Amino acid sequence: MTLAVGIAGCGAVARHHFPALRAARGVRLAAAFDLDPAAAARTGAPVAASLEELIERVDVVAVCTPPAAHADVAVAALEAGRGVLVEKPLATTLA
């Protein structure tokens, strides 16, 4: 089985995830999304036009956004039934 993985947020932290995902057996880097489409394009993965599109195209979402957006992205993916890998912290508040 091959898992289709998408990266949400393609800045400095995500640069560490790209090589690991490409090297992992059973994983395909299926999509990337960033508010800056050029940053998503630099990943070499197909670029999703929105977070919603990214979530639709993958089995697992790697959340590499700034910390303030982690929870919102993770919850959206989980509500769609996707697996989630979140950089710490999961959220910036307890609310």
Side-chain angles (χ1 to χ4, degrees):
M1 175 181 186
T2 298
L3 288 174
V5 178
I7 293 186
C10 300
V13 169
R15 290 187 193 115
H16 300 284
H17 289 258
F18 306 136
L21 290 170
R22 286 192 180 100
R25 286 181 294 176
V27 171
R28 175 177 58 89
L29 187 53
F33 171 72
D34 194 278
L35 295 177
D36 175 4
R42 284 192 292 272
T43 68
V47 175
S50 66
L51 177 61
E52 293 78 13
E53 180 183 330
L54 174 101
I55 291 170
E56 288 176 14
R57 291 163 68 175
V58 302
D59 302 308
V60 177
V61 176
V63 181
C64 299
T65 60
H70 285 182
D72 290 338
V73 174
V75 167
L78 290 167
E79 287 178 341
R82 302 309 186 259
V84 175
L85 171 67
V86 184
E87 281 288 317
K88 64 181 184 174
L90 178 59
T92 55
T93 68
L94 296 175

